[in-house]
Amino acid sequence: MSDNQYDCDNCVYYVWDDDWECYICAAGIDEDDMSRLISGNTRGCPYYRYDDEYGVVRKQN
């Protein structure tokens, strides 16, 4: 993977959907952004946020 792309597995918006029984992107990406992502005309997902589940614990110390 290049430095300019993101790994969906580590994104806070990549969640399990019980209805579809698979992981989905819950970011609410609009049609224009989705078109750019699929065509490769972007450096990465503009909605990507690293899912740091231990970040809250570090801030409490």
Side-chain angles (χ1 to χ4, degrees):
M1 177 179 300
S2 73
D3 293 335
N4 295 331
Q5 295 185 0
Y6 302 103
D7 184 10
C8 290
D9 292 337
N10 296 323
C11 182
V12 70
Y13 294 115
Y14 194 61
V15 297
W16 180 260
D17 185 292
D18 288 327
D19 294 332
W20 288 85
E21 296 184 351
C22 64
Y23 283 93
I24 63 164
C25 178
I29 299 174
D30 68 15
E31 195 173 320
D32 294 332
D33 285 336
M34 182 59 77
S35 174
R36 283 190 285 273
L37 284 170
I38 291 172
S39 66
N41 291 334
T42 184
R43 298 186 68 138
C45 179
Y47 298 92
Y48 178 83
R49 282 190 24 216
Y50 180 68
D51 185 17
D52 185 10
E53 60 189 60
Y54 297 107
V56 173
V57 175
R58 280 193 295 273
K59 288 181 182 180
Q60 290 176 351
N61 290 333

